Amino acid sequence: MAYKRLSPLDGRSQERWRGMAFGQIQSGPYVGRVVSVVEFSETGCRIRDHGMKCEVGAVFHMTLEDVGPMIIGVRWCNGAFIGIEFRHPLSRIVLDHLHQTIAQPLQQRMTQMMANRPSQNASDKPA
């Protein structure tokens, strides 16, 4: 079944899933930062973070829930939203795993992520 576009401005050719997920930056100036992932697809995701100021083309490593680290590139920035492209698309098995993970209670997932988080450093503290 073909992807049903969310609006006439929707330029994606693949399905995207909405829901609250968490990502954690593993490299670069925001290492250790936990970000909110508001939607994702096999080729990328949209994150929401008021404190990150990225340039289009920036490259980081990131985990998405418990998947990764994966290499990501910044495709676009619009206020608190950042469009991320995965260097390697996610497989169907990984997408199914993410759907199952996101179906778990939000508090449980956040607690697990915070327990696995590296110690906070100066680059992760709010400005």
Side-chain angles (χ1 to χ4, degrees), residues 26-47:
Q26 300 290 321
S27 66
Y30 297 102
V31 68
R33 187 177 197 94
V34 174
V35 296
S36 297
V37 178
V38 295
E39 66 181 27
F40 66 95
S41 71
E42 69 185 58
T43 58
C45 63
R46 180 168 55 133
I47 64 175

Side-chain angles (χ1 to χ4, degrees), residues 48-94:
R48 182 174 182 248
D49 189 291
H50 292 280
M52 287 182 67
K53 303 297 180 215
C54 299
E55 296 291 324
V56 171
V59 176
F60 301 104
H61 288 88
M62 182 181 88
T63 57
L64 176 55
E65 292 288 340
D66 61 352
V67 175
M70 60 184 82
I71 302 171
I72 62 169
V74 176
R75 295 275 298 182
W76 55 265
C77 301
N78 185 2
F81 293 100
I82 302 169
I84 300 296
E85 177 181 41
F86 305 136
R87 287 287 168 97
H88 302 285
L90 303 178
S91 68
R92 175 54 54 191
I93 292 170
V94 171

Side-chain angles (χ1 to χ4, degrees), residues 22-24 34 63 65 109-117:
F22 297 105
Q24 185 173 12
V34 174
T63 57
E65 292 288 340
R109 292 184 287 126
M110 180 53 107
T111 300
Q112 180 179 348
M113 177 165 277
M114 296 307 285
N116 296 330
R117 185 177 186 194

